[in-house]
Amino acid sequence: MNKIIITIALVIVSFTSFAQDFQGMAVYESKTSTAEFKSRMEGNKDITPEMQKMFEERMKSMFEKTFVLNFDKNASIYKEEEKLDAPGTQGGGNMRMMTSSFLGGGGTQYKNIKEKIFTIDKEMMGKEFLIQDTLPKLDWKMSQETKEIGGYMCFKATAKQKASQSDFRNFRMKKQEENKGKKEATEKPKSTGLMASDGEIPKEIEVVAWYTPEIPVSNGPENYFGLPGLILEVSAGKTTLLCSKIVMNVKDKKEIKAPTNGKVVTQKEYDEIVTKKMEELKEMNQSQGRNGNGGMQMRMGR
């Protein structure tokens, strides 16, 4: 514990040396585990090896992203880095835009750690929303465990977080009951989509963060903040965000201000809107299945 106290004291001293116009930039690589989806596909005899390969490539493009965090002492802008579609991937851009809002990307995320507020602009199925709310405060448990990330000494902190019901990165399959018969166990899976009827988003997830007091900014990717140093890595549920590049005192400073376009809603209201839309799509898919036209609820495009 003494090691943590000393590093926090160094952070307080370092804060005073920061210029008023200080600004930094950090790049984060995001990866979300897709093991459950791959396992589900392997159990579906209707999916050919070619279809599975295409599906895995699309899953990789959706679940592996790059984000840029531009920050000063009090606020930050966090945004997904735009990528060009590979040759021959028709509709890839539209698919990415459609799913990005559900998979931790899309829009600009403004965070003010001094005022404890955030603003995110999201586009969902042609409609623009502006989510404005207070930052969720996590009860961080500090640890003396350390590791090095990109040349920076980092300390470990853990917390429990309420899972957003509009973030489908945390989607998981429900466990099958042990007493189910063999016939039921060998039935063709109902779907391979992100909104399978036998899946759910947990109410709570575990968060493991690694922060460095060497960069005395109480900020990090997404809505993570509140630690005595910049968060360079965070694992939340099935997703890991790892910092791959840091630039301090950048010359090309970005304007750090909140986005303004879209219908203003709270995070709870936005989650309810997304949940309702997902239920509508799920019912539509189930109806198609009863009519013999079943398929993935969230198509991967052509």
Side-chain angles (χ1 to χ4, degrees):
M1 185 60 69
N2 289 335
K3 187 188 294 185
I4 297 178
I5 294 174
I6 293 172
T7 55
I8 291 175
L10 289 174
V11 168
I12 295 173
V13 173
S14 298
F15 262 119
T16 62
S17 66
F18 270 33
Q20 290 298 318
D21 62 345
F22 161 81
Q23 191 175 122
M25 184 271 289
V27 178
Y28 293 86
E29 306 297 334
S30 170
K31 289 188 178 182
T32 300
S33 173
T34 59
E36 285 184 307
F37 297 119
K38 291 180 180 179
S39 176
R40 190 177 182 85
M41 285 191 298
E42 290 171 358
N44 192 332
K45 296 180 180 179
D46 292 340
I47 298 180
T48 65
E50 291 76 17
M51 292 171 61
Q52 182 170 337
K53 182 179 179 180
M54 181 188 71
F55 187 87
E56 290 180 357
E57 288 176 352
R58 295 297 175 87
M59 291 285 280
K60 182 178 180 180
S61 67
M62 288 192 297
F63 286 101
E64 294 186 10
K65 300 173 178 292
T66 300
F67 295 87
V68 178
L69 178 75
N70 289 285
F71 59 91
D72 57 27
K73 290 197 299 182
N74 299 318
S76 62
I77 289 290
Y78 184 71
K79 191 171 184 179
E80 181 179 349
E81 186 177 76
E82 296 183 1
K83 296 181 180 179
L84 295 175
D85 293 330
T89 55
Q90 296 180 4
N94 293 334
M95 181 62 202
R96 184 165 54 250
M97 289 178 62
M98 186 179 76
T99 59
S100 191
S101 294
F102 308 130
L103 302 174
T108 299
Q109 181 169 342
Y110 169 81
K111 177 171 57 187
N112 190 309
I113 57 178
K114 184 177 181 179
E115 299 178 5
K116 305 295 189 297
I117 59 173
F118 73 91
T119 301
I120 312 174
D121 58 348
K122 292 271 192 179
E123 182 178 344
M124 183 183 68
M125 298 184 177
K127 294 184 178 180
E128 292 186 359
F129 293 91
L130 191 68
I131 307 171
Q132 296 180 337
D133 217 323
T134 56
L135 283 168
K137 184 178 179 181
L138 299 182
D139 184 18
W140 292 108
K141 306 297 182 184
M142 315 291 277
S143 168
Q144 294 192 59
E145 186 176 347
T146 63
K147 74 174 180 178
E148 187 177 293
I149 299 177
Y152 291 92
M153 179 61 70
C154 296
F155 288 82
K156 182 180 179 181
T158 59
K160 295 289 185 179
Q161 178 185 20
K162 182 180 179 182
S164 170
Q165 296 303 299
S166 63
D167 187 350
F168 282 83
R169 292 175 300 177
N170 295 314
F171 183 89
R172 66 187 182 189
M173 303 296 179
K174 293 180 181 178
K175 294 182 179 179
Q176 293 185 347
E177 297 178 2
E178 295 181 0
N179 60 354
K180 284 188 176 182
K182 292 184 179 180
K183 179 180 178 181
E184 192 174 356
T186 56
E187 286 180 352
K188 183 176 69 174
K190 296 177 182 178
S191 72
T192 57
L194 296 177
M195 302 170 302
S197 58
D198 55 350
E200 63 183 358
I201 295 177
K203 293 183 179 180
E204 188 178 68
I205 57 176
E206 182 178 6
V207 180
V208 178
W210 294 88
Y211 66 94
T212 176
E214 295 177 39
I215 303 177
V217 176
S218 184
N219 211 324
E222 298 191 1
N223 272 349
Y224 297 107
F225 78 109
L227 289 169
L230 182 67
I231 298 173
L232 299 189
E233 180 180 340
V234 59
S235 296
K238 296 160 64 176
T239 299
T240 296
L241 294 160
L242 177 62
C243 183
S244 60
K245 180 181 179 181
I246 298 177
V247 179
M248 304 296 289
N249 292 309
V250 294
K251 295 181 180 180
D252 183 19
K253 291 181 172 58
K254 304 293 182 182
E255 187 175 25
I256 298 179
K257 67 176 185 178
T260 57
N261 295 329
K263 178 183 178 181
V264 177
V265 294
T266 63
Q267 183 65 62
K268 182 181 179 181
E269 289 171 337
Y270 182 76
D271 286 352
E272 291 173 349
I273 293 170
V274 172
T275 300
K276 182 179 179 181
K277 179 58 65 176
M278 294 300 100
E279 288 297 324
E280 291 175 358
L281 292 175
K282 185 168 67 175
E283 290 176 5
M284 183 186 303
N285 181 80
Q286 291 174 342
S287 176
Q288 291 176 344
R290 287 192 292 269
N291 295 327
N293 297 317
M296 297 183 192
Q297 288 95 333
M298 192 170 283
R299 298 184 183 278
M300 296 297 107
R302 292 186 175 181

